[in-house]
């Protein structure tokens, strides 16, 4: 990647979740490749979880650890520093810990002021802090812009028009400030989850994210997204908030900066590859639900039996459950041993998705997972659990890029029959051909390295053209 003019010092302060930290890390390496100095800030354990910085970029990328002080660790498990380390009801305490980093972050920015800082949805206090230190800030969303357009009620920006969304049922459909046709919206069980909020049922403590304040105070917006995916939403966001929007592209695997790949000769990969090599091209369902999601027993059972009922070959990267009582149905692995693999260890996901035998990616719709699946032109079968994942599923289904598993709209349950039917539609049914065609076309766009490097260059040009005066 060619270097760009005017070397910048860019700081990054993502939310305490590896699904947020990893995209910032990948972006940091891309910026450093172009000659810019990067300071990526998180907590010690999260920094320790990051892969090795390529040796040729070590002089440009500084990974800074800000410890969580004991007074801000109330009710968090020992050593918990990320959403990976806790249960959903402990999110309020992780937010308190994140907010508790404000003082040490302030000292860091004073001692080594960056030109810009990229911040996340959870640090609504950061823009005023940055402004007081004459540091410009960018709201960087790892998910598409449609999340803000949907979830944030822009009262200050739209005045009385926003008052019409006051009831839970208003979230079942697009908000009235969306001027174009869209099927975006939540299901009744998701709306119930949203209004219940994230809370610790034992203590009653709840978490509060001031979304409007976080997004309203930035100098401009950026997203891990692109016009090919959501030009209408990016334009709407700019219109509502009267701020520039400069996406960085989707940061597909082809654009990411990696150390020497040692997986090619990895024993476990060679075993997986040997199995995949024996399957027909485009015939296999790959199933993975990220590093954090843990399925309950009912969902795990229905999913497994749906795979069995589908009759399709599959490779399932199944995360080990914290609850040891949650397990696959009795006899399941014996019955599917001739056409299915269940792997409970780490797997090289990108290599699997890139293999010609994979036809469908069965996913929870985490942003990184969606991008990886579409990068390789795979049809997505979607089973979202978080609210941003739900919106991803609605938009992708509307665009005929994926098929969402039908669920009971009151409690979110699903059946083995719906799993089997959705998988067969995506992979082999004639009616599913439109999904396969559109996924291949989107794959060509997502894997276009030059296209996405252009997004990076335009983003950096904006930073350079608005670079703050010297602080010396």
């Amino acid at each position: 990647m060619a270097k760009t003019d005017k070397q910048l010092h860019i700081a990054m302060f993502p939310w305490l979740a590896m699904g947020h930290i990893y995209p910032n890390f990948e972006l940091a390496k891309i910026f450093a490749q172009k000659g810019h100095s990067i300071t990526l800030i998180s907590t010690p354990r999260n920094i320790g979880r990051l892969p090795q910085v390529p040796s040729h970029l070590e002089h440009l990328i500084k990974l800074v650890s800000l410890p969580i002080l004991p007074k801000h660790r109330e009710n968090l498990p020992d050593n918990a520093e990320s959403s990976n380390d806790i249960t959903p009801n402990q999110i309020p305490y992780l937010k308190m810990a994140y907010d508790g980093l404000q003082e040490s972050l302030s000292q860091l920015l004073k001692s080594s002021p960056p030109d810009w800082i990229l911040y996340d949805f959870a640090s609504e206090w950061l823009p005023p802090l940055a402004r007081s230190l004459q540091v410009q800030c960018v709201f960087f969303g790892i998910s598409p812009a449609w999340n803000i357009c949907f979830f944030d009620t822009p009262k200050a920006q739209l005045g009385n028009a926003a008052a019409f969304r006051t009831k839970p049922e208003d979230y079942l459909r697009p908000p009235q400030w969306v001027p174009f046709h869209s099927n975006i919206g939540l299901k009744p069980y998701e709306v119930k989850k949203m209004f219940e909020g994230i809370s610790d049922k034992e203590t009653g403590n709840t978490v509060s994210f001031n979304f409007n304040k976080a997004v309203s105070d930035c100098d401009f917006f950026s997203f891990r997204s692109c016009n090919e995916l959501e030009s209408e939403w990016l334009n709407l966001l700019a219109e509502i908030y009267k701020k520039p929007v400069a996406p960085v592209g989707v940061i597909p695997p082809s654009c990411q900066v990696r150390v020497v790949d040692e997986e090619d000769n990895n024993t476990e990969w060679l075993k997986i590859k040997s199995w995949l090599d024996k399957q027909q091209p485009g015939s296999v369902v790959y199933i993975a639900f990220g590093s954090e999601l843990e399925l309950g027993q009912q969902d795990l059972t229905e999913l497994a039996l749906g795979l069995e009922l589908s009759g399709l070959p599959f490779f399932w990267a199944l995360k080990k459950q914290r609850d040891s009582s949650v397990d696959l149905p009795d006899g399941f692995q014996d019955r599917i041993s001739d056409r299915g693999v269940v792997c409970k260890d780490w797997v090289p996901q990108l290599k699997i998705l890139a293999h010609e035998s994979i036809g469908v990616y069965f996913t929870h719709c985490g942003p990184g997972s969606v991008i990886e699946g579409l990068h390789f032109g795979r049809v997505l079968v979607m089973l979202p659990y978080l609210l941003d994942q739900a919106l991803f599923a609605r938009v992708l289904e509307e665009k005929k890029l994926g098929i969402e598993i039908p669920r009971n709209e009151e409690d979110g349950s699903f059946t083995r029959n719906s799993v089997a039917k959705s998988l067969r539609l995506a992979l082999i049914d004639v009616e599913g051909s439109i999904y396969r065609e559109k996924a291949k076309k989107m794959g060509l766009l997502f894997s276009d390295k030059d296209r996405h490097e252009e997004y990076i260059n335009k983003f950096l040009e904006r930073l350079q053209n608005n670079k703050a005066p010297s602080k010396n």
Side-chain angles (χ1 to χ4, degrees), residues 351-367:
K351 288 188 176 298
I352 294 173
L353 284 170
H355 197 279
E356 66 174 3
S357 69
I358 302 299
V360 164
Y361 181 16
F362 193 172
T363 174
H364 64 313
C365 265

Side-chain angles (χ1 to χ4, degrees), residues 87-90 92-93 196-206:
T87 57
N89 66 305
Q90 294 172 319
Y93 309 118
E196 286 176 348
I198 302 173
S199 64
D200 184 340
K201 294 180 181 178
E202 293 184 6
T203 65
N205 286 330
T206 60

Side-chain angles (χ1 to χ4, degrees), residues 71-88:
K71 65 181 179 180
H72 299 306
R73 295 193 58 87
E74 179 186 3
N75 296 315
L76 280 177
D78 292 342
N79 299 318
E81 297 183 5
S82 163
S83 58
N84 302 57
D85 305 324
I86 61 175
T87 57

Side-chain angles (χ1 to χ4, degrees), residues 323-455:
D323 185 349
S324 58
S325 66
V326 177
D327 204 355
L328 293 166
D330 290 342
F332 169 75
Q333 289 184 267
D334 291 334
R335 295 193 301 272
I336 55 83
S337 61
D338 62 331
R339 61 178 175 84
V341 174
V342 179
C343 181
K344 295 185 179 181
D345 295 318
W346 177 88
V347 301
Q349 178 158 295
L350 290 178
K351 288 188 176 298
I352 294 173
L353 284 170
H355 197 279
E356 66 174 3
S357 69
I358 302 299
V360 164
Y361 181 16
F362 193 172
T363 174
H364 64 313
C365 265
S369 298
V370 168
I371 288 166
E372 290 173 358
L374 292 179
H375 175 268
F376 294 107
R378 309 309 180 201
V379 180
L380 304 178
V381 170
M382 304 173 293
L383 188 65
Y385 279 84
L386 300 181
L387 299 182
D388 62 326
Q389 297 167 3
L391 292 193
F392 230 137
R394 307 292 132 75
V395 174
L396 293 178
E397 187 160 54
E398 185 173 17
K399 294 178 180 291
K400 300 294 185 184
L401 293 168
I403 297 163
E404 185 175 0
I405 300 292
R407 295 162 100 157
N408 182 297
E409 296 205 346
E410 298 304 319
D411 63 13
S413 62
F414 60 90
T415 68
R416 63 199 70 176
N417 289 325
S418 65
V419 171
K421 184 176 180 180
S422 298
L423 290 173
R424 293 184 66 84
L425 174 61
L427 195 62
I428 59 176
D429 289 353
V430 174
E431 295 85 352
S433 62
I434 187 172
Y435 296 94
R436 298 188 284 275
E437 292 169 5
K438 285 185 173 290
K440 287 180 181 178
K441 289 181 180 179
M442 187 60 75
L444 295 175
L445 294 174
F446 270 45
S447 61
D448 186 338
K449 186 175 180 179
D450 291 340
R451 182 187 300 268
H452 289 284
E453 183 165 350
E454 186 177 350
Y455 277 107

Side-chain angles (χ1 to χ4, degrees), residues 26 63 74 101 108 130 157 179 285 308 321 359 361 400-401:
E26 291 300 334
L63 305 179
E74 179 186 3
L101 298 174
L108 175 65
Q157 290 77 19
V285 177
E308 182 178 355
Q321 307 292 299
Y361 181 16
K400 300 294 185 184
L401 293 168

